[in-house]
Amino acid sequence: MLRPLWKPSLALAGTLAVTACSGSDAATTTFTTWENSQVNAVSRMAVGGGVVATTSMKPGGALETVAIGLRDGRRLWAHPATMAGRLPGMGVSTPAIVETTGGDSVVVALDPGKKGRWNATLVARDALSGAQKWSRPVHSTFGPQRCGPYVCLSEHTALAKARMVVLDPATGKQLWKLAGISEVEWADDSRVLLLRLAANPMVESYELKTGKLQWQQPIEQALGPGIDLSGGWAFGSTGDDLVGYVAPYTNPRTKKVSTFGLFSVRIADGTINWMRPSVVRVYPSGNPGAAPVVRPVDRQGGYGGFARLDSASGRVLGQITAADVPGSGWWLAFPDGMDRLGFLKHDAKGTAFDIASGRPVPVEEERGWSFCVTDPKPLPLRGQAPGFYATAALCEYDLATGKRVSPATAPPPWFTGSQDGWRLWRDEKGAVHAVNDHTATAPGMYG
């Protein structure tokens, strides 16, 4: 019998000291942590039904869908996976986890297998056992997504008859469909907010049970004409609002830069709350719906300083002026609380600023989180278009020396996000890590 490679180590990830008035008695709380180095996770992770699901790359470049127990990090099951028609700029497809009636959950992902005009098969499996529940042939898709209690799937994305279908997670039965390509940006049990990928992109709200359109808001209404989603986008929710970011794209033929910026709409009726045109989101940084950090760009393409925005109001909470930005050779680094902004210089002394005041702070003993790798290599995926990258990993650095901090600790919540107290992340080798430190549910950098 082979010894499993997972390491469900219950370790002390943090302590909470409580001092009583009558003395110095202290109580400590241990946090459950685990690491699974049996996988090479290259996608984001989905959580639901006590299971973590991710897409892993095997030696040789083949993909597989892997399910891991949320409580202990045990590998539950794995099946071959593929992508069929997904664009490299979107990253590797993440499985969807959806709860069915009765409290069970299914993991929905794309299996390889070409049959006639179908290039792959969408398969739903029991989250715990991996037993197949239902399947659906697929020509091309950006991948399945959870939309409230249902599964949303963009399909025929490479064809003129592209559409999105809403499926029952228990049976795979189609409940309703919508012409064109859409991506789920937010959902609860009754409604879903979609980004409509079209010449005039819109955010639209639909009633989940019937598919009835509730409202629609053209993105150009917030940011102005000339939107082109080729540069990428990101969304995140904050309270009753959805915050969206559209990145700039330079048309290779005209050399013209598309309209870009950040905006917020009310989930209930689509009303625009605020807008910040002509700013770019910086990386790494918090989710647009939680802690957006941006740089303004002028009409000549010149970059300004850095500003952290309030996701609820769009107002500037703090900024660093353009004059304070070092010349070149730096990478952004933020501490756990994102109250300071550091300019990391690898193996050299960097600089740091207090975001609220904009003033420089002593860099000695200042630490910040930045990308582990600044020149990532594309994944050597078998049978896929080139240009797919693994989800980035963060490492902690000493800004005074530009060197990594050792031993490694858990990345900050603004990067990992949290769901029901659990925070998950991949390290630079693809191993999956988790800690249950009771952090409030919130989106991470990638959603």
Side-chain angles (χ1 to χ4, degrees), residues 191 193 215 240-242 264-273:
R191 79 164 70 214
L193 267 55
W215 57 258
D240 299 325
D241 305 321
L242 182 74
S264 168
V265 297
R266 194 184 304 162
I267 290 173
D269 57 16
T271 300
I272 296 173
N273 299 306

Side-chain angles (χ1 to χ4, degrees), residues 95-137:
I97 301 182
V98 187
E99 189 172 316
T100 61
T101 53
D104 296 329
S105 295
V106 293
V107 174
V108 187
L110 217 59
D111 279 25
K114 186 172 177 64
K115 295 181 180 178
R117 65 192 184 100
W118 307 111
N119 296 313
T121 306
L122 186 75
V123 178
R125 293 183 170 91
D126 180 84
L128 293 174
S129 70
Q132 182 171 322
K133 296 294 185 180
W134 53 265
S135 65
R136 180 184 181 92

Side-chain angles (χ1 to χ4, degrees), residues 3 11 24 29 34 44 57 80 91 96 115 132 140 170 172 187 272 286 312 315 345 375 409 424 435 446:
R3 182 176 66 85
S24 59
T29 301
W34 53 258
R44 291 183 290 179
M57 186 182 74
K115 295 181 180 178
Q132 182 171 322
S140 47
I272 296 173
R315 70 184 181 90
K345 293 197 172 185
D375 57 344
T409 58
L424 296 115
V435 58
Y446 291 110

Side-chain angles (χ1 to χ4, degrees), residues 6-12 31-35 72 434:
W6 57 269
K7 297 187 236 176
S9 55
L10 299 183
L12 183 65
F31 297 146
T32 302
T33 71
W34 53 258
E35 171 193 347
D72 57 14

Side-chain angles (χ1 to χ4, degrees), residues 377-426:
K377 302 294 187 291
L379 296 169
L381 298 180
R382 186 195 306 165
Q384 297 291 334
F388 282 95
Y389 291 83
T391 303
L394 285 197
C395 291
E396 190 175 18
Y397 292 86
D398 181 341
L399 294 180
T401 64
K403 297 184 182 299
R404 286 194 192 182
V405 174
S406 183
T409 58
W414 58 259
F415 174 71
T416 64
S418 181
Q419 186 164 332
D420 298 327
W422 284 94
R423 300 198 295 117
L424 296 115
W425 67 97
R426 69 178 291 274

